[in-house]
Amino acid sequence: MNVWSFASGSDGNCYVVESEGTALLVECGRPYLQTKDFLESIGIEPEAIGGILLTHAHGDHSRSAAHFSATHRVPIFASHGTLAALRLKDPSLARPVESGKTYPVGQLDVRPFAVPHDCREPLGFRFEGGTGRAAVATDLGWVPHSVSCQFNDLDLLVLEANYDPHLLETGNYPGFLKRRVSGTYGHLANAAAARAITVCGDRAPGFVWLAHLSEENNSPRHALQTVSRILRRNGLGHVPIRTTQHRRSSLRWTSSLARERQLPLFA
Ligand SMILES: [Zn+2]
Ligand SMILES: [Zn+2]
């Protein structure tokens, strides 16, 4: 399994999950041409994308989804609430999905799960394929048990670490926005992200990307320091953590199983 972070944050989100020839676009929140160029730079033709998965309809996640979908005839998998907000011109490309069910898309099983965020029916996604297990969960105010249990036994978790409470409190955001970000339907604080990992105990993810960091109210240093300190205190100091970047391609992860399969049979 391969996962790429093309962009992550309030200026646009986009990841690619690939396993055994099935490539999915997770979020489509950057401009269309940049998204197409990014895919070509990693050797994936836009027409080869098996589906666009949208967690919710906020523009930083969905900006070019309808255009990409219509141009390349790629279906959009999202909740009814997200699809209603998108108002696709061609409804035949809509694939409504529900929390708790499993949807096979090519070689990947996609399992959406509901998250608390301020829009209609927002989701996170868990992916299982023959070469690995990954999940993407960003834009959530807090992590209920129904969400953290989706993080058990993952090879890679892409999890929001949006803000540091002190930076948010002392920053320039107006009061209503501070309350929105830190509310139960807002975004995830660094420490809350860490706790969502530690509750997995010895079933914690093998690798973690901290994503959707606020440029105003967080920094990679704050996120990494807070999360690694809490992981260390809970006996999970060995879990590698990276931070995604905002408007550009930053991280690629390859599962060890996929690497083993790439080795020649008679080395
Ligand atoms: Zn967002
Ligand atoms: Zn959002």
Side-chain angles (χ1 to χ4, degrees):
M1 181 178 276
N2 288 288
V3 182
W4 288 263
S5 172
F6 168 42
S8 183
S10 56
D11 211 15
N13 296 272
C14 186
Y15 312 94
V16 172
V17 177
E18 184 278 332
S19 182
E20 298 174 291
T22 297
L24 305 177
L25 208 50
V26 184
E27 319 285 36
C28 200
R30 291 294 293 163
Y32 165 73
L33 283 177
Q34 287 183 25
T35 308
K36 185 168 164 282
D37 287 350
F38 163 68
L39 286 173
E40 285 166 0
S41 77
I42 60 170
I44 297 176
E45 292 297 322
E47 287 76 20
I49 293 291
I52 301 167
L53 281 71
L54 299 182
T55 59
H56 63 299
H58 285 160
D60 57 320
H61 299 257
S62 68
R63 179 177 358 179
S64 58
H67 184 63
F68 192 107
S69 162
T71 306
H72 302 289
R73 307 297 300 165
V74 176
I76 298 183
F77 296 78
S79 67
H80 285 283
T82 299
L83 289 168
L86 286 184
R87 296 203 191 110
L88 297 178
K89 284 193 194 121
D90 182 355
S92 73
L93 289 167
R95 301 282 184 280
V97 298
E98 288 174 30
S99 172
K101 295 189 176 171
T102 301
Y103 300 85
V105 185
Q107 299 299 309
L108 280 163
D109 279 345
V110 177
R111 174 175 273 264
F113 50 91
V115 298
H117 190 53
D118 54 0
C119 60
R120 282 183 61 194
E121 295 180 80
L123 299 170
F125 294 107
R126 181 177 165 112
F127 305 92
E128 300 208 12
T131 58
R133 285 173 285 210
V136 174
T138 68
D139 297 59
L140 64 174
W142 63 291
V143 184
H145 175 71
S146 57
V147 171
S148 60
C149 67
Q150 302 294 333
F151 304 160
N152 284 335
D153 308 315
L154 290 176
D155 299 301
L156 172 70
L157 170 62
V158 182
L159 179 62
E160 172 166 52
N162 184 262
Y163 69 96
D164 174 276
H166 179 70
L167 292 182
L168 177 68
E169 192 50 49
T170 55
N172 292 326
Y173 273 20
F176 79 91
L177 204 49
K178 290 180 179 178
R179 286 190 292 278
R180 192 217 143 207
V181 168
S182 60
T184 49
Y185 292 92
H187 290 277
L188 204 60
N190 295 334
R195 284 193 294 273
I197 299 164
T198 60
V199 294
C200 299
D202 53 12
R203 299 177 72 184
F207 211 109
V208 174
W209 289 357
L210 300 177
H212 211 299
L213 272 68
S214 167
E215 287 181 288
E216 285 277 330
N217 309 311
N218 208 358
S219 72
R221 187 174 61 85
H222 282 86
L224 287 169
Q225 275 182 356
T226 301
V227 174
S228 18
R229 188 180 65 241
I230 295 172
L231 293 195
R232 271 199 310 275
R233 280 188 192 154
N234 287 274
L236 292 172
H238 57 280
V239 177
I241 313 168
R242 302 282 182 276
T243 51
T244 56
Q245 294 190 24
H246 287 269
R247 281 163 288 273
R248 60 193 190 88
S249 171
S250 55
L251 298 173
R252 176 189 179 170
W253 172 86
T254 302
S255 65
S256 54
L257 185 56
R259 276 201 297 274
E260 281 159 24
R261 287 190 179 190
Q262 284 160 22
L263 291 173
L265 265 177
F266 304 104

mmCIF file of all heavy atoms in Angstrom, residues 162-173 178 181-182 188-191 214 216-219 221-223 225-226 229:
data_model
loop_
_atom_site.group_PDB
_atom_site.id
_atom_site.type_symbol
_atom_site.label_atom_id
_atom_site.label_comp_id
_atom_site.label_asym_id
_atom_site.label_seq_id
_atom_site.Cartn_x
_atom_site.Cartn_y
_atom_site.Cartn_z
ATOM 1 N N ASN A 162 -4.889 19.822 14.727
ATOM 2 C CA ASN A 162 -5.160 21.147 14.160
ATOM 3 C C ASN A 162 -4.560 22.293 14.946
ATOM 4 O O ASN A 162 -4.032 23.235 14.365
ATOM 5 C CB ASN A 162 -6.677 21.342 14.016
ATOM 6 C CG ASN A 162 -7.004 22.652 13.342
ATOM 7 O OD1 ASN A 162 -7.308 23.642 13.995
ATOM 8 N ND2 ASN A 162 -6.901 22.669 12.016
ATOM 9 N N TYR A 163 -4.663 22.222 16.289
ATOM 10 C CA TYR A 163 -4.254 23.435 17.017
ATOM 11 C C TYR A 163 -3.637 23.110 18.379
ATOM 12 O O TYR A 163 -3.879 22.069 18.975
ATOM 13 C CB TYR A 163 -5.446 24.378 17.185
ATOM 14 C CG TYR A 163 -6.520 23.880 18.124
ATOM 15 C CD1 TYR A 163 -6.558 24.271 19.457
ATOM 16 C CD2 TYR A 163 -7.511 23.002 17.684
ATOM 17 C CE1 TYR A 163 -7.542 23.818 20.327
ATOM 18 C CE2 TYR A 163 -8.504 22.548 18.534
ATOM 19 C CZ TYR A 163 -8.515 22.950 19.854
ATOM 20 O OH TYR A 163 -9.489 22.487 20.703
ATOM 21 N N ASP A 164 -2.834 24.081 18.808
ATOM 22 C CA ASP A 164 -2.303 24.101 20.168
ATOM 23 C C ASP A 164 -3.187 25.070 20.952
ATOM 24 O O ASP A 164 -3.365 26.222 20.528
ATOM 25 C CB ASP A 164 -0.843 24.606 20.110
ATOM 26 C CG ASP A 164 -0.262 24.801 21.484
ATOM 27 O OD1 ASP A 164 -0.498 25.882 22.085
ATOM 28 O OD2 ASP A 164 0.413 23.888 21.968
ATOM 29 N N PRO A 165 -3.787 24.667 22.068
ATOM 30 C CA PRO A 165 -4.768 25.522 22.752
ATOM 31 C C PRO A 165 -4.210 26.884 23.159
ATOM 32 O O PRO A 165 -4.916 27.885 23.084
ATOM 33 C CB PRO A 165 -5.151 24.697 23.988
ATOM 34 C CG PRO A 165 -4.799 23.296 23.652
ATOM 35 C CD PRO A 165 -3.643 23.352 22.693
ATOM 36 N N HIS A 166 -2.927 26.927 23.551
ATOM 37 C CA HIS A 166 -2.347 28.215 23.958
ATOM 38 C C HIS A 166 -2.202 29.147 22.755
ATOM 39 O O HIS A 166 -2.529 30.342 22.821
ATOM 40 C CB HIS A 166 -0.991 27.986 24.637
ATOM 41 C CG HIS A 166 -0.317 29.251 25.054
ATOM 42 N ND1 HIS A 166 -0.796 30.032 26.093
ATOM 43 C CD2 HIS A 166 0.767 29.897 24.547
ATOM 44 C CE1 HIS A 166 -0.024 31.105 26.214
ATOM 45 N NE2 HIS A 166 0.934 31.038 25.281
ATOM 46 N N LEU A 167 -1.730 28.602 21.619
ATOM 47 C CA LEU A 167 -1.590 29.435 20.418
ATOM 48 C C LEU A 167 -2.962 29.921 19.943
ATOM 49 O O LEU A 167 -3.108 31.057 19.499
ATOM 50 C CB LEU A 167 -0.895 28.652 19.293
ATOM 51 C CG LEU A 167 0.580 28.300 19.504
ATOM 52 C CD1 LEU A 167 1.133 27.562 18.282
ATOM 53 C CD2 LEU A 167 1.407 29.551 19.777
ATOM 54 N N LEU A 168 -3.974 29.049 20.035
ATOM 55 C CA LEU A 168 -5.326 29.449 19.621
ATOM 56 C C LEU A 168 -5.833 30.575 20.524
ATOM 57 O O LEU A 168 -6.337 31.603 20.050
ATOM 58 C CB LEU A 168 -6.273 28.243 19.681
ATOM 59 C CG LEU A 168 -7.735 28.539 19.330
ATOM 60 C CD1 LEU A 168 -7.886 28.910 17.846
ATOM 61 C CD2 LEU A 168 -8.631 27.323 19.638
ATOM 62 N N GLU A 169 -5.664 30.370 21.818
ATOM 63 C CA GLU A 169 -6.191 31.332 22.805
ATOM 64 C C GLU A 169 -5.529 32.703 22.664
ATOM 65 O O GLU A 169 -6.195 33.734 22.756
ATOM 66 C CB GLU A 169 -5.964 30.762 24.217
ATOM 67 C CG GLU A 169 -6.690 31.495 25.312
ATOM 68 C CD GLU A 169 -8.168 31.711 25.002
ATOM 69 O OE1 GLU A 169 -8.826 30.730 24.611
ATOM 70 O OE2 GLU A 169 -8.652 32.862 25.119
ATOM 71 N N THR A 170 -4.216 32.716 22.415
ATOM 72 C CA THR A 170 -3.491 33.990 22.363
ATOM 73 C C THR A 170 -3.358 34.528 20.936
ATOM 74 O O THR A 170 -2.764 35.574 20.732
ATOM 75 C CB THR A 170 -2.070 33.817 22.953
ATOM 76 O OG1 THR A 170 -1.419 32.748 22.238
ATOM 77 C CG2 THR A 170 -2.120 33.470 24.431
ATOM 78 N N GLY A 171 -3.923 33.806 19.958
ATOM 79 C CA GLY A 171 -3.764 34.195 18.557
ATOM 80 C C GLY A 171 -4.752 35.251 18.098
ATOM 81 O O GLY A 171 -5.508 35.810 18.896
ATOM 82 N N ASN A 172 -4.741 35.503 16.794
ATOM 83 C CA ASN A 172 -5.501 36.623 16.234
ATOM 84 C C ASN A 172 -6.923 36.279 15.810
ATOM 85 O O ASN A 172 -7.635 37.146 15.324
ATOM 86 C CB ASN A 172 -4.763 37.175 14.993
ATOM 87 C CG ASN A 172 -3.465 37.837 15.401
ATOM 88 O OD1 ASN A 172 -3.388 38.436 16.475
ATOM 89 N ND2 ASN A 172 -2.441 37.706 14.568
ATOM 90 N N TYR A 173 -7.326 35.027 15.944
ATOM 91 C CA TYR A 173 -8.681 34.679 15.515
ATOM 92 C C TYR A 173 -9.705 35.438 16.358
ATOM 93 O O TYR A 173 -9.521 35.602 17.570
ATOM 94 C CB TYR A 173 -8.924 33.175 15.698
ATOM 95 C CG TYR A 173 -8.502 32.294 14.532
ATOM 96 C CD1 TYR A 173 -7.587 32.742 13.594
ATOM 97 C CD2 TYR A 173 -9.038 31.014 14.383
ATOM 98 C CE1 TYR A 173 -7.209 31.926 12.535
ATOM 99 C CE2 TYR A 173 -8.668 30.198 13.328
ATOM 100 C CZ TYR A 173 -7.749 30.656 12.404
ATOM 101 O OH TYR A 173 -7.383 29.854 11.369
ATOM 102 N N LYS A 178 -12.477 31.212 17.422
ATOM 103 C CA LYS A 178 -11.778 30.409 18.432
ATOM 104 C C LYS A 178 -12.726 29.368 19.024
ATOM 105 O O LYS A 178 -12.356 28.215 19.215
ATOM 106 C CB LYS A 178 -11.236 31.307 19.551
ATOM 107 C CG LYS A 178 -10.083 32.194 19.131
ATOM 108 C CD LYS A 178 -9.595 33.056 20.293
ATOM 109 C CE LYS A 178 -8.424 33.918 19.834
ATOM 110 N NZ LYS A 178 -7.907 34.812 20.864
ATOM 111 N N VAL A 181 -13.410 26.590 16.367
ATOM 112 C CA VAL A 181 -12.291 25.660 16.194
ATOM 113 C C VAL A 181 -12.214 24.682 17.364
ATOM 114 O O VAL A 181 -12.062 23.478 17.172
ATOM 115 C CB VAL A 181 -10.956 26.445 16.054
ATOM 116 C CG1 VAL A 181 -9.760 25.511 16.170
ATOM 117 C CG2 VAL A 181 -10.906 27.194 14.726
ATOM 118 N N SER A 182 -12.359 25.208 18.594
ATOM 119 C CA SER A 182 -12.158 24.348 19.767
ATOM 120 C C SER A 182 -13.442 23.646 20.212
ATOM 121 O O SER A 182 -13.413 22.861 21.156
ATOM 122 C CB SER A 182 -11.589 25.172 20.924
ATOM 123 O OG SER A 182 -12.502 26.204 21.258
ATOM 124 N N LEU A 188 -9.457 19.281 15.863
ATOM 125 C CA LEU A 188 -8.838 18.475 16.909
ATOM 126 C C LEU A 188 -7.543 19.114 17.426
ATOM 127 O O LEU A 188 -6.662 19.464 16.631
ATOM 128 C CB LEU A 188 -8.538 17.083 16.342
ATOM 129 C CG LEU A 188 -8.442 15.940 17.353
ATOM 130 C CD1 LEU A 188 -9.762 15.782 18.108
ATOM 131 C CD2 LEU A 188 -8.102 14.639 16.630
ATOM 132 N N ALA A 189 -7.450 19.247 18.744
ATOM 133 C CA ALA A 189 -6.229 19.766 19.370
ATOM 134 C C ALA A 189 -5.137 18.690 19.340
ATOM 135 O O ALA A 189 -5.417 17.491 19.257
ATOM 136 C CB ALA A 189 -6.520 20.168 20.815
ATOM 137 N N ASN A 190 -3.881 19.146 19.433
ATOM 138 C CA ASN A 190 -2.751 18.210 19.387
ATOM 139 C C ASN A 190 -2.873 17.102 20.441
ATOM 140 O O ASN A 190 -2.696 15.917 20.145
ATOM 141 C CB ASN A 190 -1.439 18.969 19.615
ATOM 142 C CG ASN A 190 -1.148 19.952 18.493
ATOM 143 O OD1 ASN A 190 -1.610 19.764 17.369
ATOM 144 N ND2 ASN A 190 -0.377 20.998 18.791
ATOM 145 N N ALA A 191 -3.188 17.499 21.685
ATOM 146 C CA ALA A 191 -3.242 16.502 22.763
ATOM 147 C C ALA A 191 -4.389 15.517 22.548
ATOM 148 O O ALA A 191 -4.272 14.320 22.858
ATOM 149 C CB ALA A 191 -3.394 17.204 24.113
ATOM 150 N N SER A 214 -3.169 23.776 11.669
ATOM 151 C CA SER A 214 -3.491 25.182 11.438
ATOM 152 C C SER A 214 -2.190 25.964 11.247
ATOM 153 O O SER A 214 -1.213 25.742 11.959
ATOM 154 C CB SER A 214 -4.265 25.737 12.626
ATOM 155 O OG SER A 214 -4.313 27.155 12.555
ATOM 156 N N GLU A 216 -2.136 29.215 11.678
ATOM 157 C CA GLU A 216 -2.228 30.295 12.677
ATOM 158 C C GLU A 216 -2.010 29.762 14.086
ATOM 159 O O GLU A 216 -1.386 30.407 14.914
ATOM 160 C CB GLU A 216 -3.632 30.901 12.645
ATOM 161 C CG GLU A 216 -3.918 31.804 11.479
ATOM 162 C CD GLU A 216 -3.412 33.223 11.732
ATOM 163 O OE1 GLU A 216 -3.388 33.645 12.898
ATOM 164 O OE2 GLU A 216 -3.028 33.876 10.747
ATOM 165 N N ASN A 217 -2.600 28.601 14.364
ATOM 166 C CA ASN A 217 -2.736 28.154 15.752
ATOM 167 C C ASN A 217 -1.940 26.892 16.069
ATOM 168 O O ASN A 217 -2.227 26.213 17.057
ATOM 169 C CB ASN A 217 -4.216 27.903 16.065
ATOM 170 C CG ASN A 217 -5.077 29.085 15.678
ATOM 171 O OD1 ASN A 217 -4.760 30.213 16.034
ATOM 172 N ND2 ASN A 217 -6.128 28.839 14.912
ATOM 173 N N ASN A 218 -0.980 26.571 15.196
ATOM 174 C CA ASN A 218 -0.173 25.379 15.433
ATOM 175 C C ASN A 218 1.123 25.512 14.652
ATOM 176 O O ASN A 218 1.278 26.431 13.830
ATOM 177 C CB ASN A 218 -0.938 24.135 14.956
ATOM 178 C CG ASN A 218 -0.547 22.886 15.736
ATOM 179 O OD1 ASN A 218 0.326 22.920 16.609
ATOM 180 N ND2 ASN A 218 -1.180 21.775 15.406
ATOM 181 N N SER A 219 2.038 24.604 14.884
ATOM 182 C CA SER A 219 3.254 24.514 14.076
ATOM 183 C C SER A 219 3.669 23.058 14.120
ATOM 184 O O SER A 219 3.296 22.330 15.057
ATOM 185 C CB SER A 219 4.365 25.391 14.667
ATOM 186 O OG SER A 219 4.841 24.802 15.861
ATOM 187 N N ARG A 221 6.396 21.893 14.993
ATOM 188 C CA ARG A 221 7.134 21.662 16.245
ATOM 189 C C ARG A 221 6.183 21.454 17.424
ATOM 190 O O ARG A 221 6.334 20.506 18.203
ATOM 191 C CB ARG A 221 8.069 22.859 16.519
ATOM 192 C CG ARG A 221 9.004 22.653 17.687
ATOM 193 C CD ARG A 221 9.996 23.811 17.797
ATOM 194 N NE ARG A 221 9.321 25.092 18.015
ATOM 195 C CZ ARG A 221 8.949 25.572 19.206
ATOM 196 N NH1 ARG A 221 9.212 24.875 20.290
ATOM 197 N NH2 ARG A 221 8.352 26.740 19.315
ATOM 198 N N HIS A 222 5.161 22.321 17.530
ATOM 199 C CA HIS A 222 4.189 22.166 18.624
ATOM 200 C C HIS A 222 3.479 20.817 18.529
ATOM 201 O O HIS A 222 3.318 20.104 19.526
ATOM 202 C CB HIS A 222 3.130 23.278 18.570
ATOM 203 C CG HIS A 222 3.603 24.586 19.117
ATOM 204 N ND1 HIS A 222 4.274 25.504 18.350
ATOM 205 C CD2 HIS A 222 3.492 25.132 20.352
ATOM 206 C CE1 HIS A 222 4.565 26.567 19.091
ATOM 207 N NE2 HIS A 222 4.106 26.372 20.310
ATOM 208 N N ALA A 223 3.037 20.469 17.316
ATOM 209 C CA ALA A 223 2.269 19.228 17.149
ATOM 210 C C ALA A 223 3.141 18.012 17.496
ATOM 211 O O ALA A 223 2.730 17.133 18.260
ATOM 212 C CB ALA A 223 1.747 19.133 15.719
ATOM 213 N N GLN A 225 5.927 17.863 19.294
ATOM 214 C CA GLN A 225 6.339 17.817 20.713
ATOM 215 C C GLN A 225 5.209 17.294 21.586
ATOM 216 O O GLN A 225 5.406 16.408 22.416
ATOM 217 C CB GLN A 225 6.749 19.216 21.184
ATOM 218 C CG GLN A 225 8.198 19.534 20.846
ATOM 219 C CD GLN A 225 8.623 20.904 21.364
ATOM 220 O OE1 GLN A 225 7.803 21.641 21.921
ATOM 221 N NE2 GLN A 225 9.883 21.244 21.155
ATOM 222 N N THR A 226 4.013 17.843 21.396
ATOM 223 C CA THR A 226 2.889 17.445 22.252
ATOM 224 C C THR A 226 2.532 15.976 22.037
ATOM 225 O O THR A 226 2.383 15.211 22.997
ATOM 226 C CB THR A 226 1.654 18.327 21.952
ATOM 227 O OG1 THR A 226 2.013 19.675 22.199
ATOM 228 C CG2 THR A 226 0.469 17.932 22.818
ATOM 229 N N ARG A 229 5.285 13.530 23.238
ATOM 230 C CA ARG A 229 5.373 13.454 24.705
ATOM 231 C C ARG A 229 4.269 12.536 25.261
ATOM 232 O O ARG A 229 4.537 11.661 26.083
ATOM 233 C CB ARG A 229 5.228 14.871 25.305
ATOM 234 C CG ARG A 229 5.505 14.919 26.800
ATOM 235 C CD ARG A 229 5.345 16.320 27.363
ATOM 236 N NE ARG A 229 3.972 16.787 27.274
ATOM 237 C CZ ARG A 229 3.578 17.862 26.592
ATOM 238 N NH1 ARG A 229 4.454 18.590 25.944
ATOM 239 N NH2 ARG A 229 2.304 18.200 26.570
#
